[in-house]
Amino acid sequence: MTDKRLEEKLGFDRIRRRIADRCSTDYAAERVANEAFSTDPRDIRERLVLTDEMRLILMFEDTFPTSGYIDCIPFLEPIGDHASIDLLSLGKLRTLLETVRKVTYFFRTIKDGIYPHLKHAAAGIMTFPEVQRRIELILDKYGEVKDSASDALFDIRRNIREKEASVSKRINAILRKAQQEGLVDADAGVSVRDGKMLIPVVSAKKRLLPGFVHDESASGKTTFVEPAEIVELNNEISELHFAESREIARILLAFAEFLRPYVPDLMMAAAFIGELDFLMAKAGIALEIVAGMPILSEDGSLQLRRARHPLLEKALRKEKKEIVPVSIVLTKEKHILLISGPNAGGKSVCLKTAGLLQYMFQWGMLIPTSETSELPVFDRIMVSIGDDQSIDNDLSTYSSFLTDMKEMLAEADDKTLVLIDEFGSGTEPAAGGAIAEAILAELDRRGTYGVITTHYTNLKLYASGAETGVINGAMQFDAQRIAPLFQLEIGLPGNSFAFELARKMGLSEDIVRDAEERAGEEFVGIERNLRRIARSRRALDEKLQKIRATDKTLEAVTDKYQKELADIKQLRRNILDEARQEAEEIVRKANRQVENTIRTIKEAQAEKEATQDARRELQQFIGALGQKKETDRRNREEYLEKKLQALEQRKEKEKARKARRADPETRERMAQAEREEEKLVAFRAAPLKVGEKVRIKDNGMVGEISKLSTKAVSVIVGSITTKIPRDRVERITSNEFKSAVKESSQPPRQRYDAAMEERKRNFRPEIDVRGLRVTDALEIVQHYLDDAIMLDVASVRILHGKGTGALREEIQKYARTVRGVVSAQDEHIQFGGSGVTVVRFR
């Protein structure tokens, strides 16, 4: 199986031709012709990244030069071997050097982190200002050699102009004299033939004018004569032109000698320009087919999301029709997709779409899918599509199929993608189906990836088995309109709808009814049961997935409660330690107070009044210590008691939940209630923002936040703005706010804020943070989103570029946590894809 045959079967030969047609240079066209299917993940990623960066440049960068890409390598190589350069090549070289200068300047001035791979490639390319200066001394803007290119050339061209002026003056005099003598018509003028000035003489009188005949008119009535006295002047002019050519050749040879040391670097620059031309051709086709860069799969899964066949889409667009995208998922567990369904329902299109896009991906071409698609790297792609029967080779349709299967089975492994159309057809159905099932089982055993189309029921039954690596796929069909929907549904076997199609095509109803009876109830029952089994299995898978999700949630909640219990126990130990230390400190203070009292009594020489005052002061100190100790003890016990009670209540609820886990409906309701409770708690705990609705805890009044500070918020309640500490307000939902407003006699009044209007006028719906660090970019995005929410903007665009994807991930993660943000997702692939995040607000 040659690459040429494979590309023709998949349609990639037409993609390759379209890319080649966009190339400006032969270098790029040759790159397109020689670029091969790659099996190296690093090489594939490098190709894709370079093409994607060029796609973004063509989309967003107006200053990037898109013209001036020409071939210079063919004439630069001989110069290195002591050859000269011609005038045309010199003009091409000037164009190349100007393009190199513009390209290198573009990448030198672009921010770091934007188009990093292309910028790195351009970093090693030199510019040639001295070469450009020398060329400008030689050529004028029209590509001709300047008179000032050398002193000798200046003198030669001056003499040529003087001689030509003399010739012109003399021949006009001869013409006037000939007209006076009647040799030339009165309205005739000097004619120029082959660079010589000739006089149109009446043929009957041509011998009366001495000179040389050069030409004759078609009618023969006029003869073009070069006067004899002009011949010598023309000869002198010819000699001057020869001298001019020799001087120009000398100038070009001298320039080639000057250029020779620069040739290796010039060759490198010319190759770089050719590479850019190659990448621009690929990027241009990517923009035309609205393609993006998929993800290189790390777990071996193939996930095509909303994939479109580029050739079919172009054909449908001419007919003003829309293509139906297809999504295909293959994993190590389910690695073969068996597609069945009605004829002309799109089975082969799905198969070819998967094959073509996988081949484009490993060739290094962006593909028309969602940029979240993931593709693995295969060692080989093998196909059996169409009819390769040949009289010369004595191959029938089925013999051709068996030849393909023999080649596949000789090489297929878990790094192979096989594409088989109409699997097993072309021979007697029972035998063909059995052979096809045996081949399918062997491919399944080897772990081979594949997309296969078929009508055979036994293959659908094989794919329905839970232990196999094959999964059914059905092309949907509108049974009411008797029309295919061209939509693939994975997990269900397809129906051929042969009888329905026969009726639609106008086949006699008697014949169709007779055919249904001959097929028998068993055939109809198998098709019906297959679909019922698939539906039941899919419903079971969905329920199992929900149960796993619920179990995971319950485990997380249990871990959370256990952690809280451990924290409380640790807190209790810490409190007891603190209480012990505090008690020791109290004893030390009491001892000091007693000693002070004794000293006071002694110093007062046991005066009754002083002794009573000292005792009274000691009693007050002891009473204060006891009261403080009792209060602290009571507060700690109350706190611990509340935490333990709350934890016990949670544990009781957890036991109740586990007791009811056997009931799926109850479990679902519990999970839903927990989610709602967690959402409400998260909603209450999130940081307050300007424009949000809040309730004042003291009096229950509701209002809207107009300003925020570190300690307080300004809230508009009705027509009054009040400043309240942050801990005295709580966020409420819009419905809670509306309900409270209905009960209030005075609804909130919106105030006019001049500063707000000024900010709204200056607000831009797009911000560029490309090249910034994550922390710096997030700080800018945070203020930007706050302004957007405060100004009630519907949506904004954040340009962050692709790079490693870290900046995009952090920006989208943060945006989704901001209240008021409905979504934060990648821009449409045509307007930037994953290099731009679109944030939409309520």
Side-chain angles (χ1 to χ4, degrees):
M1 184 181 298
T2 64
D3 286 344
K4 182 178 179 181
R5 175 182 179 270
L6 174 63
E7 291 186 4
E8 288 176 353
K9 291 290 186 181
L10 295 177
F12 184 75
D13 57 328
R14 296 164 63 185
I15 299 292
R16 195 190 286 267
R17 281 197 300 271
R18 286 172 64 180
I19 297 173
D21 290 343
R22 280 183 169 264
C23 295
S24 301
T25 63
D26 292 339
Y27 178 97
E30 188 175 349
R31 286 281 287 108
V32 175
N34 295 334
E35 190 82 332
F37 177 88
S38 176
T39 58
D40 183 356
R42 291 186 179 180
D43 181 39
I44 293 170
R45 176 170 175 76
E46 182 70 15
R47 295 184 189 183
L48 292 174
V49 167
L50 290 173
T51 305
D52 193 51
E53 288 184 359
M54 182 57 72
R55 178 182 68 91
L56 295 175
I57 287 175
L58 296 182
M59 288 176 63
F60 297 118
E61 307 295 347
D62 296 333
T63 59
F64 184 80
T66 55
S67 59
Y69 294 80
I70 55 176
D71 286 297
C72 290
I73 293 178
F75 66 78
L76 285 173
E77 285 180 338
I79 292 176
D81 297 330
H82 301 281
S84 185
I85 186 171
D86 57 44
L87 197 58
L88 178 61
S89 298
L90 185 60
K92 289 182 177 180
L93 181 60
R94 178 168 68 173
T95 303
L96 171 72
L97 294 180
E98 182 62 17
T99 304
V100 170
R101 185 190 67 81
K102 291 179 179 178
V103 168
T104 53
Y105 176 78
F106 172 84
F107 286 113
R108 191 169 60 252
T109 55
I110 204 73
K111 292 181 181 178
D112 291 337
I114 302 177
Y115 320 126
H117 293 77
L118 285 175
K119 185 169 184 175
H120 176 73
I125 302 302
M126 294 175 55
T127 55
F128 306 88
E130 180 59 25
V131 177
Q132 287 186 279
R133 189 187 69 81
R134 291 287 294 267
I135 293 176
E136 294 302 323
L137 292 176
I138 297 174
L139 296 182
D140 61 16
K141 63 181 179 180
Y142 303 108
E144 298 295 334
V145 179
K146 292 179 178 179
D147 295 352
S148 58
S150 73
D151 294 339
L153 183 64
F154 183 85
D155 293 337
I156 291 170
R157 287 184 173 175
R158 183 187 62 191
N159 291 335
I160 289 174
R161 287 191 293 271
E162 291 174 353
K163 294 292 184 182
E164 287 177 344
S166 298
V167 169
S168 177
K169 183 177 179 181
R170 185 61 191 144
I171 200 166
N172 281 320
I174 294 172
L175 176 66
R176 287 193 297 271
K177 183 179 178 183
Q179 288 173 334
Q180 292 172 359
E181 295 176 354
L183 302 180
V184 180
D185 293 338
D187 58 348
V190 176
S191 178
V192 178
R193 299 288 177 95
D194 297 328
K196 297 182 180 295
M197 292 185 174
L198 308 176
I199 294 178
V201 182
V202 176
S203 295
K205 301 177 181 181
K206 62 184 178 182
R207 297 186 182 277
L208 299 178
L209 180 66
F212 297 93
V213 176
H214 282 269
D215 202 359
E216 192 177 53
S217 66
S219 63
K221 294 180 179 180
T222 302
T223 300
F224 297 94
V225 179
E226 181 184 12
E229 56 186 295
I230 301 298
V231 172
E232 184 63 27
L233 291 174
N234 282 335
N235 289 340
E236 293 178 4
I237 291 174
S238 296
E239 290 178 0
L240 288 172
H241 279 301
F242 292 146
E244 178 189 28
S245 298
R246 288 194 297 271
E247 179 61 18
I248 290 175
R250 187 195 67 78
I251 292 171
L252 294 177
L253 182 60
F255 176 80
E257 292 292 335
F258 157 77
L259 190 66
R260 194 158 291 119
Y262 294 96
V263 167
D265 293 327
L266 286 169
M267 294 273 289
M268 186 182 300
F272 176 67
I273 292 299
E275 285 293 329
L276 289 184
D277 185 30
F278 170 59
L279 291 174
M280 282 198 298
K282 291 170 66 179
I285 293 297
L287 289 173
E288 182 181 316
I289 63 178
V290 194
M293 188 175 80
I295 300 170
L296 193 65
S297 176
E298 296 181 355
D299 60 359
S301 63
L302 184 152
Q303 301 183 35
L304 285 174
R305 296 183 174 93
R306 298 189 60 77
R308 310 180 314 279
H309 195 293
L311 302 177
L312 177 61
E313 186 174 27
K314 182 180 180 181
L316 291 176
R317 193 181 295 123
K318 290 180 179 179
E319 301 175 5
K320 297 182 178 180
K321 296 179 180 178
E322 292 291 330
I323 193 169
V324 179
V326 62
S327 295
I328 296 175
V329 177
L330 297 178
T331 63
K332 288 185 177 181
E333 292 73 25
K334 293 292 183 180
H335 47 87
I336 298 178
L337 175 63
L338 185 74
I339 306 176
S340 53
N343 288 316
K347 299 189 301 297
S348 298
V349 170
C350 289
L351 178 143
K352 291 183 178 180
T353 299
L356 175 59
L357 299 195
Q358 181 67 40
Y359 195 95
M360 289 172 63
F361 167 74
Q362 293 193 228
W363 189 80
M365 184 63 189
L366 305 182
I367 59 175
T369 68
S370 166
E371 288 186 321
T372 59
S373 296
E374 298 184 31
L375 295 178
V377 176
F378 293 108
D379 289 344
R380 65 192 66 82
I381 299 177
M382 310 186 77
V383 302
S384 177
I385 301 174
D387 188 358
D388 284 340
Q389 62 175 313
S390 170
I391 296 177
D392 297 335
N393 297 330
D394 194 25
L395 283 178
S396 66
T397 299
Y398 194 65
S399 298
S400 172
F401 164 76
L402 292 178
T403 301
D404 289 342
M405 294 303 102
K406 178 183 175 182
E407 293 177 356
M408 284 186 184
L409 293 173
E411 297 188 53
D413 57 16
D414 60 350
K415 298 291 287 183
T416 302
L417 174 65
V418 299
L419 306 167
I420 307 174
D421 194 23
E422 299 296 342
F423 194 26
S425 63
T427 188
E428 194 274 324
I435 293 175
E437 185 174 349
I439 295 173
L440 179 61
E442 177 61 19
L443 294 174
D444 181 16
R445 185 189 65 80
R446 297 185 185 186
T448 303
Y449 285 70
V451 180
I452 300 173
T453 68
T454 188
H455 288 286
Y456 285 159
T457 301
N458 64 312
L459 299 184
K460 302 177 195 177
L461 287 170
Y462 180 89
S464 299
E467 70 283 356
T468 70
V470 186
I471 187 170
N472 274 304
M475 299 308 301
Q476 296 300 293
F477 191 83
D478 190 336
Q480 294 182 347
R481 295 189 300 113
I482 315 300
L485 299 176
F486 304 108
Q487 296 175 352
L488 174 65
E489 184 175 359
I490 295 179
L492 293 176
N495 195 318
S496 64
F497 291 94
F499 301 129
E500 291 81 354
L501 286 172
R503 289 189 174 93
K504 181 182 179 181
M505 298 304 295
L507 202 63
S508 169
E509 180 62 27
D510 293 337
I511 293 178
V512 174
R513 192 178 298 111
D514 183 42
E516 289 177 332
E517 293 176 356
R518 291 176 182 273
E521 182 63 28
E522 182 179 358
F523 173 81
V524 178
I526 289 175
E527 293 287 331
R528 187 185 300 116
N529 290 333
L530 275 174
R531 298 182 70 83
R532 186 180 297 121
I533 290 169
R535 287 195 187 94
S536 300
R537 183 176 171 185
R538 186 173 61 181
L540 180 60
D541 289 341
E542 290 176 355
K543 289 183 179 180
L544 288 174
Q545 188 174 359
K546 288 181 180 179
I547 291 172
R548 291 191 190 102
T550 304
D551 288 344
K552 189 174 181 180
T553 302
L554 291 175
E555 289 174 3
V557 172
T558 302
D559 293 341
K560 178 182 175 183
Y561 293 160
Q562 293 295 337
K563 186 177 182 301
E564 285 190 11
L565 180 59
D567 291 344
I568 290 173
K569 289 180 179 179
Q570 182 61 39
L571 179 62
R572 187 172 187 176
R573 284 194 295 268
N574 294 340
I575 290 173
L576 291 174
D577 292 340
E578 290 176 4
R580 203 174 293 112
Q581 294 173 4
E582 189 174 344
E584 292 174 357
E585 181 64 24
I586 290 171
V587 170
R588 284 194 294 271
K589 287 183 179 180
N591 289 334
R592 283 196 296 270
Q593 186 66 30
V594 170
E595 291 173 359
N596 289 337
T597 302
I598 294 171
R599 190 184 308 113
T600 301
I601 293 172
K602 287 180 179 179
E603 290 174 355
Q605 296 179 355
E607 292 181 5
K608 184 176 182 181
E609 185 176 348
T611 302
Q612 290 177 351
D613 291 341
R615 287 178 176 174
R616 188 164 46 250
E617 188 176 341
L618 179 60
Q619 291 297 329
Q620 289 175 356
F621 174 74
I622 294 172
L625 287 178
Q627 185 176 359
K628 182 178 183 301
K629 185 176 179 181
E630 181 63 23
T631 302
D632 291 344
R633 184 188 62 78
R634 192 183 304 112
N635 290 339
R636 291 192 186 100
E637 288 182 354
E638 289 178 358
Y639 173 77
L640 289 173
E641 186 65 26
K642 288 180 180 179
K643 291 294 289 182
L644 289 171
Q645 286 179 0
L647 188 59
E648 288 297 330
Q649 290 175 359
R650 290 179 182 177
K651 292 181 72 174
E652 289 298 327
K653 290 181 180 179
E654 180 66 18
K655 289 180 181 179
R657 289 193 190 99
K658 289 183 177 180
R660 295 194 296 269
R661 282 180 65 180
D663 184 3
E665 294 183 1
T666 303
R667 183 170 56 254
E668 183 63 27
R669 285 197 301 271
M670 288 169 57
Q672 182 65 27
E674 286 180 1
R675 287 193 291 269
E676 294 297 331
E677 182 180 355
E678 290 174 359
K679 287 180 182 178
L680 184 59
V681 171
F683 175 73
R684 301 286 192 204
L688 296 172
K689 294 181 179 63
V690 172
E692 290 187 328
K693 308 297 188 298
V694 294
R695 179 188 291 113
I696 301 174
K697 296 179 181 179
D698 296 345
N699 53 26
M701 298 181 69
V702 297
E704 182 177 348
I705 298 176
S706 61
K707 291 182 181 179
L708 282 171
S709 65
T710 55
K711 295 182 179 180
V713 293
S714 295
V715 181
I716 302 174
V717 180
S719 59
I720 300 172
T721 300
T722 181
K723 195 170 185 180
I724 306 172
R726 280 175 173 261
D727 58 357
R728 289 180 54 195
V729 298
E730 63 178 356
R731 180 188 286 101
I732 59 174
T733 64
S734 297
N735 290 335
E736 289 175 324
F737 178 77
K738 291 177 183 178
S739 300
V741 168
K742 287 181 180 179
E743 298 175 0
S744 175
S745 58
Q746 294 182 348
R749 178 167 59 87
Q750 186 175 3
R751 301 186 302 159
Y752 175 82
D753 190 337
M756 186 73 71
E757 291 296 320
E758 179 66 19
R759 183 178 292 185
K760 193 166 188 176
R761 282 194 298 270
N762 296 331
F763 185 82
R764 293 180 296 112
E766 183 175 281
I767 188 173
D768 188 353
V769 295
R770 290 178 291 181
L772 297 180
R773 297 190 178 189
V774 174
T775 54
D776 297 336
L778 282 179
E779 183 177 356
I780 293 173
V781 169
Q782 180 179 358
H783 294 299
Y784 181 67
L785 294 183
D786 289 345
D787 287 346
I789 293 173
M790 184 165 55
L791 298 174
D792 197 24
V793 177
S795 64
V796 295
R797 298 174 80 248
I798 302 173
L799 277 67
H800 45 66
K802 285 195 173 180
T804 61
L807 183 56
R808 162 185 171 271
E809 183 178 356
E810 291 299 325
I811 287 175
Q812 292 190 1
K813 187 186 298 182
Y814 168 76
R816 294 188 183 108
T817 64
V818 175
R819 292 295 303 171
V821 172
V822 175
S823 65
Q825 57 190 7
D826 293 345
E827 174 64 280
H828 188 276
I829 189 172
Q830 193 171 2
F831 302 104
S834 60
V836 180
T837 291
V838 178
V839 181
R840 293 182 173 82
F841 306 93
R842 288 194 178 91

